[in-house]
Amino acid sequence: MNPQENKTTALVAVEGERLPVPKKTSYWARISARYTLIWRVLLVALLLFSVMFILLFSRAFTYDSLFCFFKDLQTVSSFVPSDYDTVSTTYEEGEYTALSYRGGIAFVNKGGVEVYSPDGKRLLDVDVPFRYPRAVASRKYLVAFDCGGTTFSVTNSYTELFRGETDFPIYGAEVSDSGHFALITASNDVLSQVLLYDNNFNLIQRFQRASATVGVSVSDNGKQIALIGVAATAGTAKTVVDVYQLGKTAPDQSLSWAEEIPLSVGFTNNRHLMILTDKAMRFCDLDGRIESETVLDGMPIAYAVGGEGAALVLETEKINATHRVLVLDKRGELLYDGSFDRDVSAVALGKEEVFLLTGNEAVRIDIDKQQQTAIAIENGATGLFAVDDGQIRVVYPAKVEYLSFEA
């Protein structure tokens, strides 16, 4: 046999050598691999979420939003709640408007707009000439305007974002957290018109009104607008409320009440409205269904309507200065109904309390305990704001004082 044709390969064990045996993965190695896999999955999910957030909520990454974010970081200590006594502002003779804004105070007077942080630091000072200054604010934006004039200004806490002029005198305004804002103006063709602007300060819609518009509210998501006004039919006044989807020229809902004078309208959320007239407070949805109604037995002389609900002070007897105080929650349910025997010039609503401003006292009413507590104040106060539980700011012509009802 040819040795080249008989080729056989054999393994021969050599003394002292062993074949390699696969190592078994240890318990901790398996756990480590699983955590690594989970970490990679979460990282991919985070990247996908970030991309979707940027695509769907691009407004959060606008220059204005990023600018405010970094400015807030620089001044964060100014927004830490503190028991400061007084915040002084620039005094301008004549009318002024003061309102709570981003935890601090905004003053609008004949000289322009000033914004102060909670600890009294001035964050903004814009020179705008106003003859009759007025202002409204949301959580993010402030709109100041000249009532009866044509000038308006939009700001945040740190800078003026836009200044504009209208063709007709301005008589009211409203602004939402989305940046949409509306101006009530006169018109040559109809009784009133409402101009709606988007968050880029473009005029996107004009509502021509056959009624005299006295109030407007824009939902926080910027998708609905509600207009309230007074119209006359056969010599009888009636309240008219129209609710529009943005972009539509015809209202989705129209409500009216004869022999009632309109006072206020406001969204409590993106699906519900509070409507105040001289005869009733109504809570309704955007389909026009009235879910609750409180009939008033006196003329409202002070009221506050907002996301927490509403507080009303009714004058029931003028000679003896007898008043009725009502507090309703954000669904229109009555929480408090009590009497008050002093003149009231302003009211503010807290989470579980209501505050009243009299000539020389600030009064706190605990809604649950039905108790009243008073603190003496200086004469000349023109307004007040609720800060936190038992805490308020009282407004004077050139200053704001902090008061606490807590012992």
Side-chain angles (χ1 to χ4, degrees), residues 195-224:
L195 310 178
L196 180 64
Y197 296 79
D198 64 12
N199 60 335
N200 292 316
F201 319 113
N202 299 311
L203 178 61
I204 60 173
Q205 206 160 351
R206 190 187 302 265
F207 300 91
Q208 300 287 331
R209 305 277 289 161
S211 58
T213 306
V214 300
V216 56
S217 182
V218 183
S219 62
D220 286 341
N221 61 11
K223 294 182 179 181
Q224 297 93 15

Side-chain angles (χ1 to χ4, degrees), residues 288-361:
R289 292 189 296 268
I290 298 175
E291 298 186 6
S292 67
E293 180 178 16
T294 301
V295 178
L296 310 181
D297 61 352
M299 181 64 189
I301 60 172
Y303 55 87
V305 179
E308 294 293 334
L312 310 173
V313 179
L314 311 176
E315 185 178 63
T316 55
E317 187 177 341
K318 190 175 185 63
I319 297 177
N320 297 324
T322 303
H323 300 84
R324 180 186 178 196
V325 180
L326 300 177
V327 179
L328 300 92
D329 66 13
K330 59 185 179 181
R331 296 195 64 83
E333 298 298 326
L334 187 63
L335 299 178
Y336 178 83
D337 186 352
S339 60
F340 194 75
D341 58 0
R342 280 162 286 173
D343 289 328
V344 177
S345 57
V347 61
L349 180 62
K351 291 183 178 180
E352 297 179 354
E353 56 205 343
V354 61
F355 301 96
L356 308 176
L357 182 64
T358 68
N360 56 3
E361 284 186 335

